[in-house]
Amino acid sequence: MAIHVTQNGRLFHLHTADSTYQMYADEKDVLLHTYYGKRIEEENLSDLIYRADVGFSGNPPEAGGDRRYSLDCLPQELPSSGVGDFRSDCIRLRHQDGSAAADFRYEGYEILPGSYRVPGMPALYDGEEEQGETLVISMRETASAVTVRLFYGVFEKENVITRTVRVENHGKSEVLLEECLSCCLDFQFGDYDLITFPGRHAMERNVERARVGHARLEASSIRGASSHQCNPAVILCAPEATEDFGDCYGLCLVYSGNFVASAQKDQREQTRVVMGINPFQFSFRLEEGEAFDAPQVILSYSDSGLTKLSRQYHRILQEHMCRGKYRKEKRPVLINNWEATYFNFDGDKLAKIAEKAAKLGIEMLVLDDGWFGKREDDNSGLGDWFVNEKKLGSSLKELGEKIHAMGMKFGLWFEPEMISEDSDLYRAHPDWALRIPGREPNRSRNQLVLDMSRQDVRDYLLKRLTDILSDAPIDYVKWDVNRNLCDIYSHVHGRSGEVYHRHMLGVYDLLERFCARFPDILLEGCSGGGGRFDAAMLYYSPQIWCSDNTDAINRLSIQYGTSFFYPVSMVGSHVSAAPNHQTGRVTSFMTRGHVALSGSFGYELDLNKVSEEEQALVKEQIGQFHQYYDLIHEGDYYRISPPGGRFCAWEFVDRQRAHALLTLVMTSAEGNPVPVHTTVKGLDANRQYRCSYDNSIKSGKSWMNGGLTLGKALKEYESLLITWEAVE
Ligand code: GLA
């Protein structure tokens, strides 16, 4: 049992293998957050809360004459708004009389076996062997008929606690829900850093670390997508925390739309972190009997640094979020024609790329943008999901069969959620696009966004996808989305405060129906590369194109930032041409391969245009892909040397600690160089290992403490794969 309730149903302990989360419903029925950290005994820590008469921090009615009891100072599970807690709140209500107060008190609890589902949204699910446990705490609003249920899921072995919130209106009059965040973590003591992952198109998930102070730190998106610009996952950690040391708390939102995560110290040096759907243009109307569900947040704690925290996320996402056949099954090595041809292809050109690829051991051809409707560039055609047979010179079925006859699988690109104004779909259904009547809409890549909150839109898309995928032999779909949302207005809902979220629920609904209809298709998510790279999307697509930037050196930073939360198996990563199309940089074919191998591996270039020598390298790389697949996809991941130094390195160690693989890339070169010395991690101290670099054999203890010095200087951008094998 991971969930224990003591003190007459008032003290709640959520235990995982190494952590405890504790809450206490106090004598005034305020649900206090008393502890989250290293695993402790079941003792009430609410006595650590220091109460004082704090000027200008008022007292709730239940405090009576006790001026030392203030919601403005107490650590809480559901900070409400408008009733005396002046810090970041989690829930805002607007009542029919226009007042905006929300004040929730503890009512009761129940413990449910297994993990919980969040209606209409992805959430962690139970494994066949391991099940989570769920604590549900009920709260009631003091002056209306609104109730809240807080859901806490515990995955004991994985050191994960999840949380979400369900708001229900049991009253006769409607209530507007103007904010509903998913979780709050209050820390009474200590200093913290907040690590966030900002970026931009083609430069996603940089790593930024800042001290939490009294000015609010915020990571957020109002783009209708989790976005390139900011990722819905943050880490709060001790200022001294490193990869291997210190307290770290992860918060990862299972949502792909607008989000906010913020951290701030209050007047009494307490730190509050909140996370959930961004309240920007958010206002949900709840009539009698209606409910709202917030997305799930995955919390995890590590007492020994960032590496352990990342591993906990890699495992939970890989085992309990990623679904379907390809969760475990080996992913095919693919070749995508986008950077090889862009829009300029025909059936013959594709067949030539496929023929060469098949000879070299590549297992799947992916036909990217441009095969449908009127789509010679990115200005038209989106929405018209009908095969352009003239361009292909055959039907899609014939093309697919041709590829299959070469022994390869066949994949296809779609961008279902978008519409071009120059399309038959738009001419027939202009009201299917998100746009505000009487206003010219903002265009991005010259396209508009379909209103995914509409059932008729989703039905049309599923029909088009189904027709195409049933008619041709297709094994894989790349599901792209190439702009962000604005001009928010739905011709069906009108109520703009609900559109962002209803749109997202519509996207999930379509993806769910798609996955149910085509369970054997490998789905790869994409949004101009990694613009929707989040835990929720992993529920549908086991891999996501990590970035439109395929430059091996830029990819070091992008894949490094991505690794803090997301497993390597989720990271779509390809070898492309040199000079690189995004940066103009030239790196060797070998280095491009070594970097791409740490992901869902593939190629994105015309192999008819690479030298014989490089073609031989393709064969070698595919050999390495097969050789190291299990180690890379299932092993433990270690960040060894972050990008930004002379070299960047990372390592995989299998769970038996018998094999390790280190990738090292030289990122700058100097004359008269000092030697490269790298750390080695994760081996068994007491076993002997042979290192492939120089065939020397030493104990795990020596490797891990002494490291490895490279005997030969490396050139700029040169890379190495180095293995350690246990020798008995
Ligand atoms: C996006 C994707 C690319 C490619 C193009 C096609 O930018 O990230 O990989 O599919 O769209 O238009």
Side-chain angles (χ1 to χ4, degrees), residues 373-646:
K374 179 187 146 211
R375 184 78 172 164
E376 289 315 319
D377 55 32
D378 57 11
N379 290 302
S380 62
L382 292 173
D384 294 342
W385 302 108
F386 296 91
V387 182
N388 183 345
E389 295 191 351
K390 199 160 156 235
K391 180 166 179 177
L392 294 183
S394 72
S395 68
L396 195 64
K397 184 167 185 241
E398 284 160 334
L399 179 62
E401 282 168 353
K402 201 183 223 176
I403 307 295
H404 274 198
M406 296 174 196
M408 296 228 283
K409 293 180 190 295
F410 182 47
L412 199 61
W413 180 95
F414 285 92
E415 194 179 354
E417 299 156 50
M418 297 288 151
I419 182 164
S420 305
E421 284 161 282
D422 183 2
S423 69
D424 292 340
L425 186 69
Y426 189 79
R427 284 181 279 274
H429 299 284
D431 59 327
W432 280 14
L434 287 176
R435 57 183 300 175
I436 303 171
R439 264 177 209 277
E440 269 293 291
N442 186 287
R443 292 167 182 97
S444 181
R445 213 190 192 202
N446 208 4
Q447 64 198 50
L448 301 180
V449 182
L450 280 170
D451 178 358
M452 296 297 293
S453 70
R454 294 177 65 135
Q455 181 78 40
D456 49 2
V457 168
R458 301 198 298 272
D459 290 348
Y460 165 81
L461 292 171
L462 190 64
K463 170 90 174 63
R464 292 311 321 128
L465 284 155
T466 303
D467 281 358
I468 288 171
L469 300 180
S470 325
D471 191 46
I474 291 168
D475 309 285
Y476 158 111
V477 162
K478 178 173 170 187
W479 185 298
D480 209 342
V481 46
N482 277 317
R483 67 159 286 180
N484 291 145
L485 276 60
C486 57
D487 301 290
I488 295 303
Y489 180 90
S490 164
H491 288 264
V492 168
H493 299 291
R495 295 145 42 167
S496 64
E498 299 185 5
V499 176
Y500 273 119
H501 182 59
R502 286 190 186 278
H503 179 86
M504 211 57 249
L505 292 177
V507 172
Y508 292 146
D509 174 65
L510 181 62
L511 281 163
E512 188 64 41
R513 287 159 70 194
F514 175 85
C515 291
R517 175 70 184 76
F518 297 103
D520 290 338
I521 283 188
L522 170 59
L523 195 63
E524 176 150 359
C526 179
S527 172
R532 207 163 63 179
F533 201 105
D534 55 61
M537 278 298 150
L538 184 60
Y539 197 63
Y540 309 102
S541 52
Q543 60 194 53
I544 303 180
W545 183 223
C546 182
S547 177
D548 271 348
N549 187 343
T550 54
D551 174 274
I553 303 304
N554 281 177
R555 271 293 181 122
L556 297 175
S557 326
I558 298 167
Q559 294 178 192
Y560 168 78
T562 304
S563 77
F564 280 83
F565 281 90
Y566 306 110
V568 160
S569 56
M570 187 174 165
V571 176
S573 196
H574 300 169
V575 175
S576 63
N580 181 269
H581 292 192
Q582 291 80 38
T583 62
R585 191 194 324 253
V586 177
T587 55
S588 72
F589 206 87
M590 176 99 87
T591 299
R592 282 175 266 152
H594 286 169
V595 174
L597 267 180
S598 290
S600 284
F601 184 63
Y603 292 83
E604 182 130 356
L605 74 176
D606 189 344
L607 289 172
N608 295 302
K609 294 184 181 152
V610 310
S611 67
E612 293 281 327
E613 197 189 321
E614 288 176 336
Q615 289 179 30
L617 277 174
V618 172
K619 280 194 179 160
E620 191 179 316
Q621 286 165 353
I622 291 173
Q624 288 165 339
F625 164 83
H626 291 297
Q627 186 181 357
Y628 300 128
Y629 187 90
D630 289 345
L631 185 51
I632 291 174
H633 281 244
E634 313 267 331
D636 289 339
Y637 182 84
Y638 293 87
R639 290 174 290 268
I640 300 289
S641 286
R646 287 172 64 217

Side-chain angles (χ1 to χ4, degrees), residues 188-253:
Q188 293 179 72
F189 309 104
D191 290 323
Y192 294 94
D193 284 354
L194 186 73
I195 303 178
T196 59
F197 303 91
R200 59 183 186 274
H201 174 231
M203 274 316 287
E204 299 88 340
R205 291 173 295 287
N206 300 311
V207 180
E208 212 165 82
R209 183 166 173 163
R211 183 64 42 87
V212 178
H214 298 89
R216 192 172 135 109
L217 282 180
E218 178 177 303
S220 65
S221 163
I222 56 165
R223 295 170 170 270
S226 42
S227 88
H228 303 88
Q229 286 73 10
C230 202
N231 196 265
V234 300
I235 297 169
L236 191 79
C237 64
E240 63 278 10
T242 63
E243 287 290 351
D244 307 302
F245 176 81
D247 285 336
C248 304
Y249 300 85
L251 296 92
C252 174
L253 188 66

